Amino acid sequence: MLADMSVDTVTEATSPATGPLTPIHTADTAPGWWRSAVIYQVYPRSFRDLNGDGVGDLAGITEELPQLAELGVDAVWLSPFYRSPQRDAGYDVSDYCDVDPIFGTLGDFDVMMAESHRLGLRVIVDLVPNHCSDQHAAFQAALAAPAGSPERDMFIFRDGAGEGGHEPPNNWQSHFGGPAWTRVAGPDGQPDQWYLHLFDSSQPDFNWDNPAVHAEFERVLRFWLDRGVSGFRVDVAHALVKAPGLPAWGGRADGSSTDGFPGHEAPMFGQPALHDIYRRWREVLDEYGPDRILCAEANVDPLPRLANWVRPDQMHQAFNFPYLHAGLDIHRLRTVVTDSLMALDAVGAPSTWVLSNHDVVRHASRFGYNGHGPRDGDGIGPFDPQPDVSLGRHRAAAASLFMLGLPGAAYLYQGEELGLPDGTDIPEHLRQDPTFARTGGERLGRDGCRVPLPWRAAEPHLGFGAGESPWLPFPASFAELARDLQAGSPSSHLSLYREILRQRRALDLGRGSLAWAENWCTSSSLAYVNGTTLVLMNLNHDPLELPAGQVLLRSASPDDARYLASGETAWIRLESGAPTD
Ligand code: GLC
């Protein structure tokens, strides 16, 4: 929790190894497994294909869960596996309380839950409350019903602007490109109203001003809580409520390319009424005991504003996207770590940390550029400048070792423990992200980070599945990165991750404290002390001479053990918290 002093105050200058310390955060003693957990994101389409159709499935997840237990994570978060036409890889849900046949059955889900619990792993599922699929029964009913009907009121239907209502009701743009409105034909076949979709046209937004929508999602929460899930990752949690009157707004729907329109002013984001929704959901979860959690995917700036979402009566956690976006910029990293811990401590919430997920270029690829890499969500194509894959993996290991020493919870994305890069040579006809089609190919989208996992180098399709080809092709480098090869090599990325998680647990770093170690904080290196561990990252071109102390872990094998080379991180044990030089 928040140290009782200003961040600018240097309080200890006793340590020659660390130099003066600037304390930011003291150890968190509040109960709650999630406060220090490592949560592993499983992207079911790409995890493991047991039924041989080229797409991953629940039985495949069950099959490989022991590998995740062995890796040392505390919980898995599953991206959507619900009934869905898969127009946005399952984030277009047509039935929230059933499993899509490509992934299996509810029976398969129950088997997977039982196996997770046997292995001591918790399971979090994805809740997609902002929008559903246009194939959802409620939307089909809305299409069949007239304007002004209760069926239409489940969604955001409006008359068009201009003569004959031919223009969209406002100027909002879809996150995936193009207008955020689509016109429907009325029950009589004539052009009728328009409906809002912040994402693809196949994903109509629910109307959260309607109590019936609230009731429906409470039912969904209970359905999965009754099946034993430990909580929900809440998709685009900042977007459910729209500003009254749907005022015009000039930015893109993700609030990112705003041209003078800061994301937090967007009328489709961060509306005050959201907090009451999450208060109610918290009550529902609390009925099931103190161990069920809500984690917001909320793109809300700045961090003190995000902290409002994780006040004690609302969500438990929110993804820390400012951390992800800080990349390897030393100044931004220090600022975001400090701001996160201070803002979240102030409301009694743990911070979270994340480097990769299914919506961004994997960090092993992002860090393979000197200078500007791809924009988040836009992907890397065969004709784009290519990342230096081995540099990227080298730096990714350093970034992960830095992140996993921080106090709080950490989210990992499947495959990052193997150091996987993005697929950058996916043929256009195989691309599935709606961003690609909706922008006429201008933005490639997120398929590159969604390529299936390589499990066993010698098996067909690298052990992802023995049947059809995987739904996205493997880059050539995946063969040598297969999990079975890495499992047998002590110097592999996988072995490093295992060891990081083992030591993180043994040292209880997730529950630890944080003070910046000023002697090591320069324009190209950054270091903090958590308990008795010094975490030091060197992004300089020159090697850094390590301080005295036992090196617990380093992100790369050293040429000279006394030095930390460029793009490396080390964990060093400080002698009883009062290090010597
Ligand atoms: C979230 C998901 C993303 C999805 C979008 C629409 O941002 O992470 O994958 O496309 O919401 O549901």
Side-chain angles (χ1 to χ4, degrees):
M1 313 311 305
L2 185 62
D4 183 25
M5 56 199 74
S6 143
V7 284
D8 296 316
T9 314
V10 171
T11 55
E12 267 183 61
T14 52
S15 151
T18 61
L21 296 177
T22 303
I24 302 295
H25 169 90
T26 55
D28 174 5
T29 54
W33 66 270
W34 68 89
R35 302 181 76 91
S36 55
V38 175
I39 301 173
Y40 181 99
Q41 180 187 359
V42 168
Y43 194 67
R45 298 178 65 83
S46 302
F47 190 72
R48 175 82 161 84
D49 168 24
L50 216 64
N51 71 3
D53 63 357
V55 180
D57 41 52
L58 292 178
I61 297 171
T62 306
E63 176 87 0
E64 306 294 358
L65 277 174
Q67 308 257 10
L68 302 187
E70 214 239 319
L71 176 61
V73 302
D74 301 292
V76 295
W77 145 38
L78 301 186
S79 280
F81 50 82
Y82 315 113
R83 267 195 193 266
S84 161
Q86 302 291 318
R87 294 281 299 273
D88 182 22
Y91 283 93
D92 50 322
V93 181
S94 56
D95 183 344
Y96 288 85
C97 297
D98 201 2
V99 172
D100 195 274
I102 61 169
F103 297 121
T105 62
L106 277 172
D108 293 330
F109 179 83
D110 292 339
V111 171
M112 186 212 62
M113 287 297 295
E115 174 68 352
S116 312
H117 290 158
R118 188 185 73 75
L119 293 164
L121 295 171
R122 296 170 188 273
V123 177
I124 292 171
V125 295
D126 218 306
L127 187 73
V128 190
N130 179 67
H131 48 264
C132 59
S133 157
D134 60 0
Q135 300 306 305
H136 191 287
F139 191 72
Q140 289 296 313
L143 290 180
S149 60
E151 289 84 356
R152 290 236 169 145
D153 198 36
M154 293 290 285
F155 299 91
I156 303 176
F157 278 90
R158 293 287 184 276
D159 293 334
E163 200 183 325
H166 293 311
E167 301 295 324
N170 72 15
N171 66 345
W172 293 6
Q173 296 294 299
S174 152
H175 179 86
F176 294 148
W181 295 91
T182 292
R183 195 171 195 184
V184 300
D188 58 2
Q190 294 304 307
D192 189 16
Q193 292 189 297
W194 300 68
Y195 65 91
L196 179 70
H197 51 87
L198 292 186
F199 293 88
D200 189 54
S201 56
S202 66
Q203 294 167 295
D205 280 40
F206 280 112
N207 171 20
W208 279 90
D209 293 335
N210 182 347
V213 172
H214 294 237
E216 171 59 7
F217 275 92
E218 252 185 70
R219 184 181 77 85
V220 173
L221 289 176
R222 290 181 194 282
F223 180 87
W224 293 106
L225 289 167
D226 287 340
R227 286 195 118 83
V229 303
S230 290
F232 302 88
R233 172 265 190 192
V234 181
D235 191 60
V236 283
H238 53 303
L240 278 53
V241 176
K242 281 76 180 176
L246 309 181
W249 187 72
R252 215 172 81 187
D254 65 355
S256 64
S257 66
T258 50
D259 301 331
F261 293 87
H264 62 271
E265 285 174 10
M268 67 287 275
F269 291 147
Q271 299 298 308
L274 286 164
H275 295 290
D276 285 337
I277 298 174
Y278 300 132
R279 284 195 182 97
R280 176 63 198 138
W281 290 8
R282 178 62 177 259
E283 286 170 5
V284 172
L285 263 73
D286 285 350
E287 284 175 32
Y288 288 79
D291 279 353
R292 319 283 183 120
I293 69 160
L294 294 167
C295 177
E297 188 216 16
N299 225 331
V300 181
D301 281 335
L303 279 157
R305 198 154 172 265
L306 185 62
N308 283 337
W309 289 62
V310 289
R311 285 173 285 183
D313 61 343
Q314 299 181 42
M315 301 233 182
H316 299 74
Q317 294 185 333
F319 286 126
N320 194 334
F321 292 125
Y323 184 81
L324 187 152
H325 291 132
L328 293 176
D329 179 320
I330 294 279
H331 174 71
R332 284 180 71 186
L333 268 180
R334 176 168 174 154
T335 304
V336 79
V337 169
T338 300
D339 290 356
S340 302
L341 290 170
M342 293 191 74
L344 295 164
D345 282 355
V347 295
S351 189
T352 65
W353 314 105
V354 64
L355 285 165
S356 282
N357 65 34
H358 66 294
D359 289 329
V360 299
V361 171
R362 286 177 175 279
H363 64 286
S365 291
R366 292 204 308 274
F367 297 156
Y369 291 91
N370 287 314
H372 288 297
R375 217 180 74 138
D376 273 354
D378 283 4
I380 306 167
F383 306 112
D384 293 326
Q386 297 296 300
D388 176 334
V389 175
S390 73
L391 174 67
R393 191 171 317 121
H394 180 75
R395 288 176 172 166
S400 299
L401 187 53
F402 185 85
M403 176 180 86
L404 287 162
L406 292 169
Y411 279 82
L412 308 181
Y413 176 50
Q414 68 175 37
E416 73 169 76
E417 75 278 24
L418 304 177
L420 297 183
D422 262 38
T424 61
D425 50 4
I426 298 171
E428 295 197 352
H429 71 278
L430 292 180
R431 289 200 173 271
Q432 298 208 7
D433 186 343
T435 309
F436 183 71
R438 287 186 66 86
T439 61
E442 192 190 317
R443 294 169 54 206
L444 295 171
R446 301 157 296 173
D447 293 311
C449 63
R450 299 175 176 179
V451 173
L453 295 185
W455 289 92
R456 282 162 277 270
E459 291 186 8
H461 307 312
L462 302 180
F464 170 64
E468 311 247 326
S469 295
W471 67 284
L472 289 174
F474 292 116
S477 65
F478 272 33
E480 65 193 32
L481 295 174
R483 180 174 294 258
D484 65 337
L485 299 184
Q486 295 205 37
S489 156
S491 61
S492 68
H493 213 90
L494 177 61
S495 298
L496 173 68
Y497 260 70
R498 274 192 196 138
E499 194 52 23
I500 299 176
L501 297 190
R502 191 186 70 72
Q503 293 207 29
R504 176 187 156 91
R505 191 184 294 262
L507 296 164
D508 210 10
L509 295 180
R511 287 286 188 168
S513 53
L514 184 135
W516 295 114
E518 298 296 354
N519 273 6
W520 299 97
C521 292
T522 69
S523 59
S524 53
S525 63
L526 195 57
Y528 58 87
V529 175
N530 179 347
T532 56
T533 307
L534 172 71
V535 176
L536 169 57
M537 178 161 67
N538 177 21
L539 297 178
N540 205 338
H541 292 299
D542 299 322
L544 273 181
E545 191 174 350
L546 286 168
Q550 182 192 355
V551 176
L552 298 170
L553 263 177
R554 42 197 308 164
S555 59
S557 311
D559 290 335
D560 181 337
R562 291 169 304 163
Y563 291 91
L564 192 63
S566 173
E568 291 184 8
T569 298
W571 288 4
I572 296 155
R573 187 200 302 281
L574 302 174
E575 301 308 326
S576 57
T580 52
D581 205 304

